[in-house]
Structure formats: C-alpha cells, structure tokens
Amino acid sequence: MEVNNIKIDNWIKDGDRPLVIAGPCSAESEEQLMETCRGVKEQGINVMRAGVWKPRTRPGTFEGIGEEALTWIENVKAELGVKFAIEVAMPQHVELALKHNIDILWIGARSTVNPFTVQEIADSLKGVDVPVMIKNPINPDLALWIGAIERIANAGITKLGAIHRGFSSHQKTKYRNIPMWQYPIDLKSKFPNMPIIGDPSHIGGSRDMIFDISQKSLDLNYDGLMIETHRDPDNALSDAKQQVTPERLGEILTNLKIRTSTSDDALFINHLEELRDKIDNIDREIVESIAARMRVVEKIGEYKKENNVTIFQLKRWNNVASTRADWAKSFDLSEDFLEDLYKSIHSESIKIQTEIMNKLTENGK
Ligand code: PEP
Ligand code: MN
C-alpha cells in the first residue's frame, strides 16, 4: 500500500502478537552466540539479533568480530531454524550480510544521522528484497528519521520498519537515551503503515527498566520489541548493564500485557466516545483560554512599548514559573509538565511582544 509515496508491506504483524527480536548486543564468540540464541529460542522467540560491527563511541573498546561472526550466525540459523537481524553501517556490510544469508538488516542510530551513509546503504540495497529497519537518529530530529526511511524506500525496499531507541540528551534523566515518545508517534502519523519496533534496551540502558519501557511501547501499539539478551550479561563485551538473560527475557514477555488496538464491544465504544467528547470540549476551552491570554499579552506589549520597558523581566518570569509549579502540585499535575508548558507559553508571549516592539508606529517610534 502506498502511503506518502512509500510502499510498505506488512512483514511483521502476526495478529496482535508483537514481533520479538532478541539476542546479544554483540556476537562475541561462537559459543556465546549459540548458547544465548538457544536460550532465547527456548523462550519461544524465533528472530535473533546480534551486532557484528559495533559502532562504539570510543576507540579501543570492543568493536565487533566482523565477517567471522557471520559464519557463526549461519551455524545458529541452521541449528536452531531461526531468522537473524544485524546492523549494517556501510555497503560492504550489506554485501557481506546478504552473502551470509542474514534475514533482516537494520540501520543504527549513528548511521541514520548521516544522509551520505544512509544513501550509500540505500544504493547497495537496490534490487534486493530484504526487510530493513531504521533506528531513530541519535538526536531528536524527525526529518532525519523520515529522510532515512525515504532513502531506503526509494531504493525499492518495501519491507520497512522503524526502531525507536531513544535520543541523546544533555539533560540528566534516568534513561540512557530519552524516549521522547512523541517522535515515534509523529512518525506513525506520517507513515501509518510503518511498523514500529521498540528498543527498551538502548532507551533504558539498564536491565531493570526493560519491562516498564516495553509495556509502555506495547501500550502505544508498537508492532514489536528488540531486547538485548546475553547468556552472561554482566560479562558482556558491550552494553553489559542493559542485557538480560534468556530466562529473564521469558519472564518479561510473560508478564507483559498485550492489549488489543481496538474493541468491537458497543458499550466500550460508546463510553470511549463520551470521554473523547469531554476531552474535545476541554481542549476547546484550553485553546480559548490561551487565545484570551495572548490578547492580554498583546496589550502588555503595547503598554511596555509606550513606556519604553524591556519585554523580558526576570523577576516576573520567576514568579510565573514558581506560582504555576505550586498550582500544578495542588492539582496533582506533574511540575515538570507544567514547567514545559509554561516555557512554551512564555516563549510565544515573548515572540508576540517582540513583533509588537518591532512594528513601526505612525510617529516612527
Ligand atoms: C545496537 O542495537 O546494538 C546498537 C548499536 O544500537 P543503536 O544504533 O541504537 O545505538
Ligand atoms: Mn547494544
């Protein structure tokens, strides 16, 4: 089906069951790979992952085994009857992956940021029928993610998927890569048929966060999960903190609640409609209130201009920020949420007042 000039085949969804891809961050040795994959397969998983070439931030750390690991993967596939996904970061990787019968390719976050790299990979995929998943770029830039998907689609790949692995940030958060859930949601609005796979391992960066991030991903109707799994996570050569054992993977998957994306139940639909009507009405009031606030902002802008007073007044802003945070608390709202909301409202107020200041009045002031 064509969506926004991109043809996307459904190669992932099997009813409401999410596709689970699991396996080590890196293929380290033939035994480690075989033993890990055997454990993963015992948990009912049939699609494995492993890094063969590892994009590491610092040199001198483990950078993957390279082509030799592809022969281990072929052995695992033959022995366990599973499919295999690996990361490719350059045309040579694509060529070797296809030569060694890899079933699914993915483009890593550090490659998605670079249109030259993505285009080279896309060119090497022309005429090939292999599923390709594109991780979000490291930085929160939706256009880069979309652009990478378009480049791969333009090469004729139709079995596409997007992997949400979170974004780098200078903010201190509990995540290794903050999820910024709105980005995959926006991607889905742009490409409604695009399967989205959650990567809780790289979002969380820590094994005790995998369950909650996976549940949240499924609740947002993701089509699958990619979870790093290792026979001996603590001694993994890369991403040790975020890998889980195959047994733990099994527990996580058993405990995840898989909710249906829709329900035919008439009572449910009616009640949901009622609640959505309420939300629509409240949103209308919110927009009316914001518009009324901005009209007052315009008045203040005119008044400051007449009196030659600056737009931004630190004391006033501090007062706005702290009182709204207190209000948030008293209404059981998150203070962080209200802070973000007010930063956005305040920056719009400044923009409006700046326009007023810059407008020439009749007497040229
Ligand atoms: C990986 O999946 O092992 C990996 C390197 O991920 P990312 O590209 O998301 O950092
Ligand atoms: Mn990893």
Side-chain angles (χ1 to χ4, degrees), residues 155-176:
I157 299 291
T158 55
K159 296 186 181 93
L160 289 161
I163 304 178
H164 174 218
R165 53 79 79 193
F167 303 89
S168 276
S169 161
H170 63 279
Q171 261 172 266
K172 243 186 160 343
T173 78
K174 62 178 179 171
Y175 299 103
R176 178 177 176 197

Side-chain angles (χ1 to χ4, degrees), residues 3-107:
V3 189
N4 287 315
N5 298 322
I6 282 198
K7 187 168 175 294
I8 301 174
D9 288 339
N10 176 20
W11 60 281
I12 283 193
K13 263 273 161 105
D14 170 19
D16 275 319
R17 299 292 314 170
L19 171 75
V20 178
I21 304 174
C25 176
S26 309
E28 300 169 3
S29 69
E30 184 151 20
E31 300 70 56
Q32 170 256 5
L33 189 67
M34 185 66 86
E35 210 182 297
T36 301
C37 292
R38 187 171 287 121
V40 169
K41 163 100 187 172
E42 277 166 15
Q43 303 302 327
I45 309 304
N46 293 305
V47 187
M48 310 286 142
R49 63 147 283 154
V52 169
W53 300 277
K54 298 305 297 178
R56 305 306 299 282
T57 305
R58 305 280 306 274
T61 49
F62 177 65
E63 292 188 317
I65 297 288
E67 189 174 359
E68 194 191 349
L70 294 172
T71 59
W72 306 341
I73 290 177
E74 283 184 297
N75 294 342
V76 170
K77 277 170 51 116
E79 174 133 352
L80 304 177
V82 292
K83 289 204 156 100
F84 230 99
I86 69 163
E87 173 178 351
V88 289
M90 51 179 87
Q92 196 191 342
H93 295 169
V94 173
E95 195 190 308
L96 287 169
L98 297 174
K99 184 175 126 197
H100 289 277
N101 302 308
I102 298 298
D103 306 279
I104 302 165
L105 309 179
W106 85 78
I107 296 182

Side-chain angles (χ1 to χ4, degrees), residues 5 10 16-17 22 86 109 135 146 156 215 246 257 278 287 331 342:
N5 298 322
N10 176 20
D16 275 319
R17 299 292 314 170
I86 69 163
K135 285 204 178 198
I146 292 174
Q215 185 64 63
K257 282 202 178 55
K278 269 193 192 159
V287 173
F331 283 102
Y342 267 92

